[in-house]
Amino acid sequence: MKVEVVLTEADIAQEFAEAIEARDLPEKFFFWFPRSATEWAALAGDAELYGGLWETWKEIAASAPLLVKHFAGRVPVISFGAGEGGRDRLLLAALKDAGCECQYFPVDASQAMLEMACAGADDDDIETVGIKADISSPVHLVYAADAAEPPRLFIMSGNTMGSFDPLAEIRYIAQCMKPEDRLIIDGEVFDPEKSMARRDNPSSRKFVSALLASVGIEDEDGDIGFNLKRDDRHAGLHLITRYFRAERDLSATVAGQEIPLERGERIGMNFQYAYTPEAFRWLVSQHGGLRILNEYSSPDARFLTVMCGK
Ligand SMILES: C[S@@+](CC[C@H](N)C(=O)[O-])C[C@H]1O[C@@H](n2cnc3c(N)ncnc32)[C@H](O)[C@@H]1O
């Protein structure tokens, strides 16, 4: 298994301690601890978490012969925030079956997730190099994109863009693209009733609790709560925020360092965007400057996935 490291474990441990001090945890830490990665891998296969997104990927995989034509029989697939890579492998297998030579570059901040993505692709006999990098950094994104010569197929799936500022992230990704590259990217479609319920449930709470338990905070130490907000920069941008509220004085232990938390204090546990379909299209095309070549709505209407070019 080959993994190139741009973001080191020492960097992440340092950033994690600083983030707890600042009471604000970005998304990458939720997948960092082995316990979180195991919980996520279990959730990723769960129909509840991604619903009809798997069906969308089967539809995309069915169009593999067209993609093979575009890429002239050789395609480097670079997946930003690859996670355990299950849906990427679905497409890679279809590309291979259609006679394409594939190289796979899963990019993730989590060593544990990268190992899963690389091991899965190795098992499928796909030439794979993992890249441990921070996909919220434009410099790291460019480094990862340059792992192969254009034309490349970029992927950002599972509402991964929704855990960053999507207005900044889509532009960073677009900056990495050359005209002949393709990008498959999705967004979760906002539903006033279901979007919150999909997060505020026992399996999602268990995933968040895995991170807290990894720093010594147990369920009885406090509450996990959710809020729904709007991003006024454009109509149709909704965001769901999470927080932990300490019910008593306690301390988190990060890389041997004790960080005290007082009763009543909150730690922001990142956010996730969900969009109206119009807002998602605006984000990718007008704001990101990309051309939408194809659209795939998941059968449960929960995800909108687009294939784009520059
Ligand atoms: C919501 S999961 C989606 C995984 C996968 N794409 C899927 O569709 O199942 C987000 C992934 O992005 C990774 N991630 C989150 N923040 C990151 C960051 N700043 N840099 C690199 N990877 C990050 C996480 O480790 C996780 O594997």
Side-chain angles (χ1 to χ4, degrees):
M1 184 182 299
K2 275 196 229 157
V3 176
E4 284 182 16
V5 178
V6 189
L7 178 68
T8 65
E9 288 296 279
D11 289 339
I12 302 178
Q14 173 71 26
E15 281 181 41
F16 187 86
E18 287 167 6
I20 293 255
E21 291 274 16
R23 312 298 191 244
D24 190 12
L25 288 177
E27 176 78 354
K28 63 173 172 264
F29 301 120
F30 290 86
F31 301 82
W32 182 43
F33 293 101
R35 186 165 164 180
S36 303
T38 308
E39 284 293 339
W40 179 258
L43 271 182
D46 181 351
E48 263 307 293
L49 181 73
Y50 280 131
L53 194 56
W54 281 99
E55 297 309 315
T56 292
W57 278 79
K58 285 181 199 159
E59 200 184 330
I60 296 172
S63 66
L66 284 177
L67 280 171
V68 176
K69 226 174 176 183
H70 173 79
F71 286 100
R74 195 193 146 272
V75 58
V77 176
I78 302 177
S79 179
F80 296 131
E84 50 77 53
R87 272 184 298 278
D88 297 348
R89 289 196 294 282
L90 190 74
L91 179 59
L92 285 161
L95 288 166
K96 247 179 102 178
D97 288 349
C100 200
E101 192 192 316
C102 300
Q103 283 175 301
Y104 181 45
F105 301 92
V107 185
D108 211 285
S110 158
Q111 176 73 26
M113 300 298 340
L114 265 185
E115 286 172 9
M116 287 183 212
C118 290
D122 283 345
D123 287 349
D124 292 350
D125 279 334
I126 291 163
E127 191 187 330
T128 302
V129 179
I131 302 175
K132 188 153 173 279
D134 189 330
I135 58 172
S136 66
S137 149
V139 176
H140 285 207
L141 276 174
V142 168
Y143 177 91
D146 286 349
E149 293 293 316
R152 303 154 293 190
L153 175 60
F154 295 111
I155 295 175
M156 189 177 258
S157 81
N159 201 28
T160 294
M161 180 169 63
S163 296
F164 306 108
D165 174 353
L167 276 70
E169 192 68 16
I170 192 69
R171 287 196 169 164
Y172 297 158
I173 296 169
Q175 278 164 19
C176 299
M177 289 177 68
K178 300 279 180 242
E180 58 278 35
D181 291 333
R182 293 290 177 263
L183 166 70
I184 301 173
I185 190 160
D186 62 33
E188 184 170 341
V189 176
F190 178 70
D191 182 300
E193 269 124 49
K194 295 184 194 150
S195 292
M196 189 66 111
R198 282 177 187 138
R199 286 159 177 91
D200 191 359
N201 62 49
S203 35
S204 292
R205 280 170 176 270
K206 201 167 160 222
F207 172 63
V208 175
S209 296
L211 172 134
L212 293 170
S214 301
V215 296
I217 301 176
E218 298 301 334
D219 287 348
E220 55 280 10
D221 290 334
D223 273 346
I224 294 167
F226 297 82
N227 283 314
L228 184 56
K229 298 183 178 173
R230 263 169 211 263
D231 181 335
D232 291 330
R233 289 176 295 174
H234 191 80
L237 301 176
H238 300 265
L239 80 161
I240 296 146
T241 59
R242 297 183 292 215
Y243 63 86
F244 168 79
R245 184 177 173 281
E247 285 293 309
R248 57 182 188 80
D249 292 349
L250 51 95
S251 61
T253 309
V254 182
Q257 189 184 336
E258 283 216 356
I259 300 167
L261 269 179
E262 280 178 22
R263 180 168 180 260
E265 267 198 275
R266 286 185 180 201
I267 303 178
M269 310 271 278
N270 209 35
F271 52 80
Q272 282 172 344
Y273 274 79
Y275 321 84
T276 57
E278 297 73 22
F280 185 68
R281 289 185 196 109
W282 167 84
L283 181 65
V284 172
S285 54
Q286 268 136 283
H287 183 79
L290 298 172
R291 280 182 304 128
I292 297 181
L293 305 169
N294 242 319
E295 261 193 38
Y296 310 83
S297 179
S298 65
D300 55 3
R302 186 167 156 200
F303 287 92
L304 182 59
T305 304
V306 288
M307 170 94 66
C308 340
K310 202 160 180 183

